[in-house]
Amino acid sequence: MPAVKETIEDVRRLEADKYKYGFTTEIEQEFAPKGLNEDIVRFISEKKGEPQWMLDWRLDAYRRWVEMEEPTWANVHHPKIDYQDAYYYAAPKNAAKYKSLDEVPAELLETYKKLGIPLREAEVLLGVEGAEDRTAAEAREAPKVAVDAVFDSVSVATTFKKELEKAGVIFMPISEALQEYPDLVRQYLGSVVPVTDNYFATLNSAVFSDGSFVYVPPGVRCPMELSTYFRMNAQGTGQFERTLIIADKGAYVSYLEGCTAPMRDENQLHAAVVELVALDDAEIKYSTVQNWWPGDAEGKGGVYNFVTKRADCRGRNSKVSWTQVETGSAITWKYPSCVLRGDNSQGEFYSIAVTNGRQQADTGTKMIHLGRNTKSRIIAKGISAGRSDQTYRGLVSVHAKAEGARNFTQCDSLLIGDQCGAHTVPYIEAKTPKATLEHEATTSKLSDDQLFYARSRGLDEETAVALLVNGFCREVLQELPMEFAVEAQALLKVSLEGSVG
Amino acid sequence: MGVAPQLSAFEAALAASLPAGELRAALETAGLPHRRIEAWKWSDLRAALAKAPARAGMLSVNASRKADEITTLDRQPDLLMPRLAAGLSEGCPVYALKDGESLSLDFEGSEGASHHIAAVNVPAGVSATLHERYRVVAGGFANIALRIVLGEGATLTRIVEQDASPNGVLVVTTGIDLSPRAKLHQTTLGFGAKLARLETHITHAGEGAQLVLGGSYLVASGLHLDQTGIVRHTGTNGATRELFKGAAAKGGRGVFQGKIHVEQAAQKTDAQMNHRGLLLGDGAEIYAKPELEIYADDVVCAHGNALGAVDDEALFYMRQRGLSEARARAVLTRSFLAEPLDAIEDETVREALLARLDAALEAVS
């Protein structure tokens, strides 16, 4: 489809139902009572049938959290969060298997349709009998993406499990992994983001309800892209995901995380923790497209996205690459980081953040160079429009023993309109002369010359802006897996709708 | 953070010397700035003064001429250190510069804690030079607040020399107002102290006003120099150029914190900030935080920061030409650090500063 027509249609679609993913599925849900205390933590742990050590771990986190103060250093402003006024556990009441798709509640199917999940895949996700075998057979020809859908707090089902099993890859909800591979979980959980790490990570440690667990055994190249759709659904429920990915020696895995949330009046808290562990020669690629409900034009509602993501490049020659496209959420507070511990390990961070309306984003990365000859590369593109505010906050730290370390950082900000703000706050720490660190940042508005040129070639203003913005972000977009690159480009367009003229 | 700190004997004495009131209460509840306060993250003043003797010292000011009047300091950055300096000084000497005048102010802090404030006015249309020099003896703490106002179309060349002051602690906070069409060219040359901080807050009214900030630093073992500069653009068409270059020898620590803040009204601001740091040996440390905070869309703002060692290829080339490695390093380091000083127009001043840099380089190599 020509770009012009596509944009027009995107915009029309947006006007038609404002926020495509702003729907609520009416299904019976099981809630834990509102509020947070030790009993709720016990309740969650019991619901999951967790071992005693896990409960103790959670309780320890909860007790620490109570003593902690909410951080205020980020450049974001929001009313104080009442942690007692939320549900910490919600599960679809009936997660039982269906005999065929006809038995699946229509609302649930509708949800998947709006999310763009193909019917066949939906069958598997919903646990329809025999679906897995049929899908696996079809998938042998088609490009493969394994999906672990998180419907509120419980992973509903996992596709492609069998084929992954054949490769020896473990990909399942973390709650199941706790039952089936407790030793593996126990060995790595909290080893990258400790319980004490920060206010939101500690809260997550206490109340996390589910998430994904991936283990790729030594020398295995994961045969498909792994993917999780996060969906927040029940009103007033916080989402506390816990993702743990381990790439053993020489393993490779690419993980896709996509997020959409329904329209809400009240603010929803999302405090996820993602831990990645890369051992010797292993590589993990983690991509995110985040387009949660950003709140309405007056800044009412929207998701608070306070996430801790960190990778530990523990082994020699290991590599972790974070790619993110952040267009949603009312407030984003997120710094996917790499601890470059192993010699010759590499960390990469590619980011596009778009804020419009009254969105606020304080995002960036941390690259901690500990090992010799470690390398890191940071490319961050920020686009502020409307009345939004955006901050790039990043740390590059080179320790005394990290001889031969190299870093390159580039952050560019684009301002559209004169009511928004764009800020850059890099921290650079060097403790060895045998390292090279470079940082560049620019802030500018869309070039009038370029806009004029595009317009004189017959593009309307909105399309011209979309074109220029896509060009501005190109270095990051090309890092995304194919499936996401298309979605991300469309998202950029829709996110900036109404920002010019 | 939320918990009231245990005040050191030094802080308690400082608080006790203040009259009861808001300032004293502020010091008593929070103590001196420390590493948990974002703006002082890499320069822990509290720790540097934790064991300082709790007694008053003397600050001798050697000015090239008498002040025009002694008054009270009207306006200054709302920060603890300059407020303390104002609260503990008796009157503020004010110098009104005349066209073509060159004023020099030499500050020397004795043992113990000393505080001083001063103001310099550059009236509209006047072009003048201000040359400051700071040193603190071992065991001394000098806290100085300066206020500089440039009237419309005024031009000021400001030279700041900070002498190496091992075991001394120095904090200089300068608040500068740049009126429309005014020009300020500031150059600093610093060698650090047990802890030295040169903090500058500039309000840039734009409308043709131009700001050039340059700085070189060389910190030897045991010395710490922090250059913090916040430039706030408030009007349209303002230009800012910043170039800071520094080197840290083994055991030395350099800190650069720069911020360019562009208010929504400051459209068409053109601002660039650059910091380059050289680490000369193992155990050298350089920390940098070049910030942009921008609320106007029609602007061009950029910053760059690079940290590393002397370029191996250049070194190899010079050794091929017959220079010893030490000599080649010295030449490369010298030319690296000299760049901000080369922009000084007055040849005598420029040569004097370069000579000081050379002497210091000789001492560290």
Side-chain angles (χ1 to χ4, degrees), chain B residues 7 11-31 80 83-84:
Chain B
L7 291 190
E11 286 168 316
L14 206 56
S17 63
L18 284 163
E22 197 198 333
L23 181 57
R24 179 169 168 172
L27 183 62
E28 278 171 345
T29 45
L80 182 66
R83 285 177 67 202
L84 272 180

Side-chain angles (χ1 to χ4, degrees), chain B residues 159-209:
Chain B
I159 307 286
V160 179
E161 291 181 65
Q162 186 266 320
D163 295 7
S165 308
N167 296 313
V169 175
L170 170 73
V171 176
V172 179
T173 315
T174 311
I176 303 179
D177 276 4
L178 211 55
S179 302
R181 287 169 295 286
K183 285 181 188 163
L184 172 65
H185 182 178
Q186 170 181 314
T187 311
T188 56
L189 175 62
F191 299 100
K194 181 182 184 187
L195 189 150
R197 171 142 156 152
L198 303 176
E199 184 171 335
T200 313
H201 294 257
I202 300 173
T203 305
H204 193 314
E207 293 178 50

Side-chain angles (χ1 to χ4, degrees), chain A residues 347-411:
Chain A
E348 290 176 350
F349 176 74
Y350 298 97
S351 168
I352 299 171
V354 181
T355 50
N356 201 348
R358 286 189 182 266
Q359 280 175 280
Q360 306 173 57
D362 194 308
T363 182
T365 184
K366 288 191 262 185
M367 294 288 174
I368 319 277
H369 292 257
L370 301 175
R372 288 160 193 267
N373 301 317
T374 45
K375 284 188 198 139
S376 61
R377 184 178 162 86
I378 299 169
I379 308 283
K381 305 279 183 180
I383 299 147
S384 313
R387 305 174 74 86
S388 68
D389 245 304
Q390 191 174 132
T391 305
Y392 166 83
R393 190 184 299 274
L395 166 73
V396 175
S397 176
V398 178
H399 285 236
K401 287 183 179 149
E403 289 177 14
R406 283 197 70 96
N407 159 263
F408 175 75
T409 303
Q410 186 184 338
C411 3

Side-chain angles (χ1 to χ4, degrees), chain A residues 389 415 417-431 433-445, chain B residues 38 42 264 279 281-282 285-298 301-309:
Chain A
D389 245 304
L415 290 152
D418 60 1
Q419 302 289 314
C420 50
H423 322 301
T424 318
V425 191
Y427 295 74
I428 302 131
E429 305 184 344
K431 293 183 190 166
K434 298 180 185 82
T436 308
L437 292 84
E438 293 170 85
H439 177 103
E440 284 170 20
T442 60
T443 302
S444 53
K445 71 167 190 168
Chain B
E38 183 63 23
W42 292 313
Q264 202 199 319
L279 291 100
D282 288 332
E285 295 175 17
I286 295 184
Y287 301 95
K289 186 180 168 198
E291 271 182 82
L292 298 175
E293 187 167 346
I294 295 170
Y295 296 94
D297 69 329
D298 193 4
C301 292
H303 70 219
N305 183 75
L307 304 178

Side-chain angles (χ1 to χ4, degrees), chain A residues 66-97:
Chain A
V66 172
E67 301 288 316
M68 289 168 101
E69 277 179 45
E70 197 177 322
T72 53
W73 46 261
N75 190 12
V76 295
H77 308 278
H78 56 80
K80 210 166 160 47
I81 300 168
D82 183 358
Y83 292 92
Q84 296 305 331
D85 188 33
Y87 294 101
Y88 286 83
Y89 183 81
K93 218 168 195 175
N94 190 357
K97 302 257 174 187

Side-chain angles (χ1 to χ4, degrees), chain B residues 23 103 136 144 146 157-158 170 227 247 256 291 311 353:
Chain B
L23 181 57
L103 173 72
V136 184
I144 298 157
L146 281 187
T157 302
R158 182 184 182 214
L170 170 73
Q227 303 213 54
F256 171 79
E291 271 182 82
D311 182 32
L353 260 59

Side-chain angles (χ1 to χ4, degrees), chain A residues 67-243:
Chain A
E67 301 288 316
M68 289 168 101
E69 277 179 45
E70 197 177 322
T72 53
W73 46 261
N75 190 12
V76 295
H77 308 278
H78 56 80
K80 210 166 160 47
I81 300 168
D82 183 358
Y83 292 92
Q84 296 305 331
D85 188 33
Y87 294 101
Y88 286 83
Y89 183 81
K93 218 168 195 175
N94 190 357
K97 302 257 174 187
Y98 307 104
K99 278 222 156 57
S100 77
L101 268 182
D102 302 337
E103 288 182 20
V104 177
E107 314 93 76
L108 205 55
L109 280 181
E110 193 62 21
T111 307
Y112 281 96
K113 194 176 152 202
K114 285 186 194 164
L115 274 175
I117 300 176
L119 210 58
R120 271 281 186 254
E121 218 159 84
E123 269 190 9
V124 182
L125 290 168
L126 293 164
V128 177
E129 262 184 15
E132 207 157 307
D133 303 322
R134 286 200 299 277
T135 314
E138 282 167 21
R140 267 191 274 283
E141 289 100 52
K144 294 165 198 170
V145 181
V147 183
D148 178 11
V150 180
F151 199 89
D152 278 314
S153 306
V154 176
S155 279
V156 180
T158 306
T159 43
F160 296 101
K161 211 167 173 177
K162 284 187 181 166
E163 192 169 341
L164 287 170
E165 265 170 17
K166 233 183 276 168
V169 177
I170 303 170
F171 178 37
M172 55 174 58
I174 202 161
S175 55
E176 269 177 46
L178 268 165
Q179 307 295 334
E180 291 184 37
Y181 303 95
D183 294 341
L184 213 47
V185 177
R186 195 173 183 177
Q187 184 184 347
Y188 289 104
L189 189 71
S191 73
V192 184
V193 180
V195 167
T196 48
D197 196 78
N198 69 69
Y199 188 78
F200 299 109
T202 304
L203 174 63
N204 175 287
S205 300
V207 300
F208 77 84
S209 39
D210 218 330
S212 298
F213 175 81
V214 178
Y215 173 80
V216 189
V220 170
R221 194 181 164 88
C222 186
M224 62 187 78
E225 307 260 359
L226 304 180
S227 163
T228 301
Y229 285 93
F230 288 103
R231 285 281 282 111
M232 269 189 270
N233 208 289
Q235 201 141 7
T237 57
Q239 181 110 344
F240 301 94
E241 301 302 329
R242 187 97 194 180
T243 299

